[in-house]
Amino acid sequence: MAWRKIYEGAEPQRVNKWLAGEGVCSRREAEEMIANGLVRIDGAIVEDPGRKIEPGQTIELADGRVAPRISIAINKPVGFVSAQPEPGQVPAARLVTPANLVGRTDVMPTSRTSLAPLGRLDQDSRGLLLLSEDGVLAKAVIGAESNVDKEYLVGVRGQINDRKLDWLRHGLELDGKKLKPAKIDVVEPWRIRFILNEGKKRQIRRMCELVELEVVDLLRVRIGPMWLGDLPEGRWRAITSAEREALLKASR
């Protein structure tokens, strides 16, 4: 068996819900495994997709239970869009080629691989972008209850002063709603570090506009525990299982 664990919850819980909560797979994938006879509880094959696991019972998932879900980190250059492109735009996923790979990967994405962006990074911005077909990871990074923060280095044009920094930290509204507090500090005379726990469309650029600062460069350097590091611009690498687990943990 490829995966085995004792259920230690206080109350019975649906198998698919528990497996998704453990970060093993999505609920839909769990139901697919059950339908294929790949899930056992205390040695007996689970046949009912609505089956609940009881406290103290052991669940086992068979080898080859799910096709690998590809997740990658890419250093997106300016000029590429992270989401579905409009006419004339080029998606960042176009850069995911064997020639641009850094390191190694067990599964190479193909033209049929559906890699969704885990968070926005607009066409005029650059830096760390996560692309994945892993629904559990997507929920952890960009779900409504996610606690994963993002860090940016933002080059600006205009006068930076304490009053503007204070507004950026906790005094602004966008689209009629007050923004969550942000961690803001100046790292160079013209560059500001932003650490955000939300990701509204073009949020940093719009925040800066409200305090009369013009963004001239926006680089995302971190998503939760994952750093851009020395990944060259326009190149990509596979996300490791340890990094996936760290992202899941950071979201809780």
Side-chain angles (χ1 to χ4, degrees):
M1 307 303 286
W3 190 87
R4 183 176 187 272
K5 190 169 184 179
I6 296 174
Y7 176 60
E8 298 178 344
E11 300 292 336
Q13 187 171 177
R14 285 178 65 107
V15 169
N16 61 350
K17 181 179 180 181
W18 182 57
L19 289 175
E22 289 290 304
V24 175
C25 60
S26 69
R27 294 192 189 191
R28 181 176 297 177
E29 290 165 352
E31 291 168 1
E32 179 183 336
M33 288 187 283
I34 291 172
N36 291 331
L38 302 176
V39 182
R40 294 174 181 266
I41 292 179
D42 289 346
I45 294 176
V46 176
E47 298 179 347
D48 178 9
R51 170 75 180 272
K52 292 184 178 181
I53 186 168
E54 305 280 342
Q57 289 186 320
T58 298
I59 192 168
E60 296 173 300
L61 309 182
D63 286 319
R65 62 190 187 279
V66 226
R69 295 297 187 251
I70 299 173
S71 299
I72 71 165
I74 186 169
N75 185 345
K76 187 191 86 67
V78 169
F80 292 80
V81 295
S82 56
Q84 187 68 25
E86 297 179 1
Q89 295 180 333
V90 182
R94 193 79 58 82
L95 294 167
V96 185
T97 65
N100 288 335
L101 172 64
V102 174
R104 61 178 298 275
T105 178
D106 294 330
V107 184
M108 179 64 67
T110 69
S111 59
R112 295 184 178 182
T113 306
S114 180
L115 292 172
L118 308 190
R120 299 184 179 96
L121 194 61
D122 64 52
Q123 186 169 353
D124 299 325
S125 302
R126 59 194 181 97
L128 181 60
L129 175 67
L130 305 185
L131 301 175
S132 179
E133 55 178 3
D134 184 337
V136 173
L137 186 61
K139 182 179 179 181
V141 176
I142 59 175
E145 299 179 0
S146 173
N147 291 314
V148 174
D149 61 1
K150 289 89 176 176
E151 182 171 339
Y152 306 80
L153 296 179
V154 184
V156 298
R157 184 181 292 122
Q159 182 184 17
I160 300 173
N161 55 45
D162 290 341
R163 179 172 56 90
K164 291 181 179 181
L165 293 174
D166 190 53
W167 279 342
L168 289 171
R169 288 182 181 116
H170 49 69
L172 297 178
E173 292 185 1
L174 288 179
D175 304 322
K177 295 183 179 180
K178 190 172 180 62
L179 297 174
K180 294 180 180 179
K183 296 179 181 178
I184 308 288
D185 62 278
V186 179
V187 294
E188 295 180 64
W190 58 278
R191 193 182 298 275
I192 302 172
R193 177 186 290 110
F194 282 70
I195 300 178
L196 304 179
N197 274 102
E198 58 188 336
K200 295 183 180 296
K201 187 175 182 179
R202 298 179 69 84
Q203 179 172 337
I204 291 176
R205 295 178 187 276
R206 294 166 67 196
M207 289 172 69
C208 287
E209 287 175 3
L210 291 175
V211 297
E212 299 181 338
L213 293 174
E214 178 188 0
V215 173
V216 296
D217 182 50
L218 194 156
L219 172 67
R220 181 157 65 198
V221 296
R222 180 176 63 84
I223 298 175
M226 280 197 63
W227 288 86
L228 177 63
D230 58 0
L231 183 64
E233 189 170 79
R235 306 289 292 278
W236 66 277
R237 66 173 181 82
I239 293 176
T240 67
S241 57
E243 288 172 329
R244 180 181 186 273
E245 289 303 314
L247 285 165
L248 295 179
K249 184 177 180 180
S251 72
R252 295 166 186 153

